[in-house]
Amino acid sequence: MQLKRIIALRVIALLTIMIITVSTAYAYFTIQRHRELTLNLWKTRSAVLAEGFKHLILWDDRVAIRQMMLSEVKGSDTLLYGFLLKGGEPYVYTFEKGVPLPLLQQRPPTDVQPVWEFEDSEDMVVYDLATVIDASGTALRIGLKRSAIDAKMQPLLISFCLIGLLSIGVGSYLAFLIARRTTREVDTLAEAIARYGELADENGPAITATTSEVTELVKSFKQLTARRRGAELALASLNTQLEQRVNERTVQLTAANLELDSFAYSVSHDLRAPLRGVEGFSCALQEDYADRLDETGNDYINRIRKGCVRMGRLIDDLLKLSRITRREINRVPVDLSRMAEQVLLDLKASEPDRNVEVRIDSGVVASADLTLIRSVLENLLGNAWKFTRHTAMPCIHFSSLNNNGDCIYCIRDNGAGFNMAYADKLFLVFQRLHRADEFDGTGIGLASVQRVLLMHGGRIWAEGEEGKGAAFYFTLGDKEP
């Protein structure tokens, strides 16, 4: 409907402009031609009058000449006045008070019957026509009213206007028919496209194409619709399969979680019991038989006890990692600056003899799970505290920065650092880049940190250099407030 209206309006506007332009031009040239023909007619009439006045002028019969002039003026609505000039002076005239001075001052050229156009005192446009009667300079001057000449064209102009309006009306009707004929098929197709109807269905909008262009368009649209239907069916089938796979994976995940719970229970109870037995018997052996064992035997027992302690810590870390994967996130606003201060105070209390420079940026706030984010800071700040143990002037710095609206938190130290070639192993379980006799640890802390940050929708990465410290960057999926 919109396309039909646009086409009809454009055709009507173009047709109206053409008709008005042609009519105006034709009316203008018709009026001009009518004026020219009227002037030529009065030139002939003036010559006839001048010829009749010759004998009367010889007899000096001014009364007869004036009567003839008045008869001409009264008998024509076009003729305004008439007068004779003889020797440059008024001889006979139709004016009541004499010939107006502007007419006397006007000296027409000497060519045959010149026409002078002027406006009188009443703003009437007058054609003044001069006809020479004899060689002595006697001339007949008559005045014609242009308004009276143009008034005779009014019926023709009215007819012209009526014909133009009729032409515009007929043209508008034809434009409407053309627009309807042109857009009938397109409107049907546009309606089908708007509804994205199924043209192949019985309920779809019917299209009867009568032009090759529309036939091709309908054919292409039907092919497109058929492809869309095929894609929808394939997508529906994939969605069904995906839903089935999700259900299957959900069942598998539930079973895996149950197995993980069983494993955690086994680790917590079944493995700890024999480990406590090994540690208890090794302790009793060292206490009861220390005097019977040499130095090598006592060293073996010490190694067994240290291994038991390390194994216990490893079991604790594995249980913590297992619990993290099953915990739900409860985000709350957390003051990370204050939390970092508390963690470092605990670390200083554990080793009061160490002198570590601590710098914590104030006002670092994030949206995170309170318990889980504390475990992240304990692991990262604990690593920074641990790996600066052999540094002469240790320094730990906690800060944050804004990167295009993303909050990035950083924990930097000047400790042992690491080789960037092995950076991809930092966050894997049981992967350690330093020997156990240099720095203690189980290799699970950074893996649990990565799990926590992924659960928050964030990530973690690190930069470092051996002997020059390391920097750990992480995000929590929140934005700069």
Side-chain angles (χ1 to χ4, degrees), residues 97-254:
K97 298 181 180 181
V99 180
L101 184 59
L103 293 177
L104 294 176
Q105 292 176 346
Q106 172 64 22
R107 300 296 181 183
T110 57
D111 56 346
V112 179
Q113 293 181 309
V115 178
W116 171 43
E117 181 179 348
F118 70 96
E119 290 186 4
D120 62 5
S121 59
E122 298 179 357
D123 296 331
M124 179 185 297
V125 179
V126 179
Y127 294 123
D128 187 80
L129 192 64
T131 304
V132 178
I133 296 177
D134 54 31
S136 63
T138 303
L140 172 64
R141 301 272 293 276
I142 60 175
L144 306 175
K145 294 182 289 186
R146 192 176 73 177
S147 59
I149 297 174
D150 294 343
K152 295 181 179 181
M153 293 296 296
Q154 286 184 358
L156 179 61
L157 294 177
I158 293 174
S159 301
F160 234 73
C161 292
L162 293 177
I163 293 173
L165 293 175
L166 180 62
S167 300
I168 292 174
V170 174
S172 300
Y173 177 72
L174 293 177
F176 176 76
L177 292 180
I178 293 172
R180 186 175 65 178
R181 176 66 181 84
T182 304
T183 62
R184 180 174 56 194
E185 297 166 349
V186 178
D187 284 342
T188 307
L189 187 61
E191 181 182 358
I193 293 175
R195 294 167 46 194
Y196 209 68
E198 308 296 342
L199 298 185
D201 291 349
E202 295 181 357
N203 297 328
I207 294 181
T208 303
T210 58
T211 60
S212 59
E213 294 82 359
V214 176
T215 301
E216 290 297 325
L217 186 59
V218 172
K219 182 179 178 181
S220 300
F221 183 69
K222 287 183 176 180
Q223 292 176 353
L224 177 63
T225 304
R227 292 177 184 174
R228 182 181 67 85
R229 292 189 61 198
E232 287 180 350
L233 293 175
L235 182 60
S237 176
L238 288 175
N239 287 336
T240 303
Q241 295 178 9
L242 180 61
E243 185 175 357
Q244 183 179 358
R245 289 180 182 177
V246 169
N247 292 333
E248 293 176 355
R249 295 294 172 83
T250 302
V251 173
Q252 295 175 2
L253 182 60
T254 302

Side-chain angles (χ1 to χ4, degrees), residues 5 8 31 46 57 70 78 95 105 114 122 139 168 177 187 250 279 289 329 382 408 423 462-463 480:
R5 186 182 297 111
I31 292 174
S46 177
I57 293 172
L70 290 174
T78 304
F95 301 103
Q105 292 176 346
E122 298 179 357
I168 292 174
L177 292 180
D187 284 342
T250 302
E279 185 180 7
Y289 298 93
I329 297 293
I408 299 178
E463 297 176 356
E480 183 77 12

